[in-house]
Amino acid sequence: MVVFSILKFFGKVVLYFFLSSIAIVVLYKFVPPPITPIMIIRQFEGWFEGKNIGIRKQWVPFEKISKNVFRAVVSAEDAKFMFHKGFDWDAIQAARRYNELRKGRKLRGASTISMQTAKNAFLWHGRNYVRKALEAYFTVLIEYIWGKKRIIEVYVNIIEFGEGIYGVQSAAEVYFRKNASELTQREAALLAAVLPNPRRWSPVAPTPYIERRVAFIQGRMNSVVIPK
């Protein structure tokens, strides 16, 4: 009886998780995420470091964001964004081979924009198997419930662009003193170039490495496919 009660309890927990996770994904298809776990975690990290970082964010709809932004992030992060179902298996295999050959060194990732959106909207940073499994689960959900246009709209509105700066509108205001709809090709490429580590690099003080990334991104921007 005790074992049965425990199994029944865990069954209810699993069922609640699935129902609640599907419900929030459906809700976010229509409603902007008000806050994300990563925003909250960054606040706690700031408090422990004695800093009041704050959260600067402003949602802007897809139609009011420069298409340069979407072309830039796709070019920088996931050139096959429009052609996969959430996972770029070729990139995953290539990253696995790379990491196996270079054990102990900096690992290469293969996260798509869909995977990054799932992580940033619902989860936390980390490399453990539980977090990666949840990321894969939410990636499948948003691919089938949101679709590509909503995924990239959410992505550019919640992604971290600097300490306490979230979303392309806030980044455009802080770094370039303009709206997201007015960003030029180079400005969009600068924002996309710092995404791997936005608290280390700044789009208004690009290092030689960031300038090389900008050149690479701009070289791709006119050829990538983005949602309409």
Side-chain angles (χ1 to χ4, degrees):
M1 289 296 293
V2 174
V3 174
F4 177 76
S5 298
I6 293 173
L7 291 174
K8 185 176 180 180
F9 170 77
F10 279 108
K12 289 181 178 179
V13 170
V14 171
L15 179 61
Y16 174 78
F17 167 75
F18 280 116
L19 292 177
S20 60
S21 61
I22 292 170
I24 195 169
V25 171
V26 171
L27 178 66
Y28 283 178
K29 179 178 174 67
F30 306 101
V31 178
I35 198 165
T36 69
I38 291 173
M39 293 177 190
I40 297 170
I41 290 168
R42 293 295 192 220
Q43 289 302 294
F44 279 106
E45 289 175 347
W47 293 338
F48 283 121
E49 295 171 1
K51 298 185 292 186
N52 184 16
I53 297 173
I55 298 175
R56 180 164 183 165
K57 66 182 183 67
Q58 183 180 341
W59 179 274
V60 282
F62 183 93
E63 291 73 20
K64 293 187 177 181
I65 300 171
S66 169
K67 297 301 181 290
N68 289 322
V69 173
F70 301 120
R71 293 191 180 98
V73 296
V74 169
S75 297
E77 301 291 302
D78 185 7
K80 297 180 181 178
F81 174 65
M82 292 296 293
F83 307 104
H84 60 63
K85 295 296 184 181
F87 308 96
D88 184 345
W89 297 110
D90 291 336
I92 290 171
Q93 290 297 328
R96 183 176 298 167
R97 290 193 296 269
Y98 177 93
N99 295 333
E100 287 174 351
L101 292 171
R102 293 163 178 81
K103 290 182 179 179
R105 302 182 188 180
K106 185 177 179 181
L107 299 177
R108 175 187 290 179
S111 291
T112 62
I113 285 176
S114 301
M115 295 166 70
Q116 292 181 54
T117 305
K119 175 187 67 180
N120 286 306
F122 304 106
L123 302 169
W124 62 94
H125 291 299
R127 290 185 176 275
N128 62 74
Y129 289 112
V130 172
R131 211 277 295 161
K132 294 300 289 184
L134 288 171
E135 180 184 298
Y137 168 71
F138 277 106
T139 297
V140 172
L141 285 186
I142 65 174
E143 275 283 335
Y144 284 94
I145 294 176
W146 290 2
K148 296 294 186 181
K149 184 176 179 179
R150 181 61 172 178
I151 289 171
I152 203 167
E153 179 184 39
V154 172
Y155 176 76
V156 300
N157 270 289
I158 66 173
I159 194 71
E160 186 178 29
F161 281 104
E163 198 166 61
I165 303 168
Y166 300 94
V168 67
Q169 178 63 27
S170 294
E173 291 175 355
V174 170
Y175 296 122
F176 302 115
R177 301 292 187 267
K178 58 175 59 175
N179 290 319
S181 62
E182 302 169 317
L183 289 169
T184 66
Q185 188 181 83
R186 175 170 169 79
E187 289 165 347
L190 281 163
L191 290 175
V194 304
L195 287 179
N197 197 336
R199 296 195 296 172
R200 175 184 176 187
W201 296 311
S202 169
V204 292
T207 64
Y209 169 72
I210 293 300
E211 285 289 2
R212 290 194 296 272
R213 278 184 56 80
V214 169
F216 170 78
I217 291 165
Q218 287 191 271
R220 270 186 168 186
M221 284 175 67
N222 291 329
S223 60
V224 297
V225 181
I226 62 171
K228 296 181 180 180

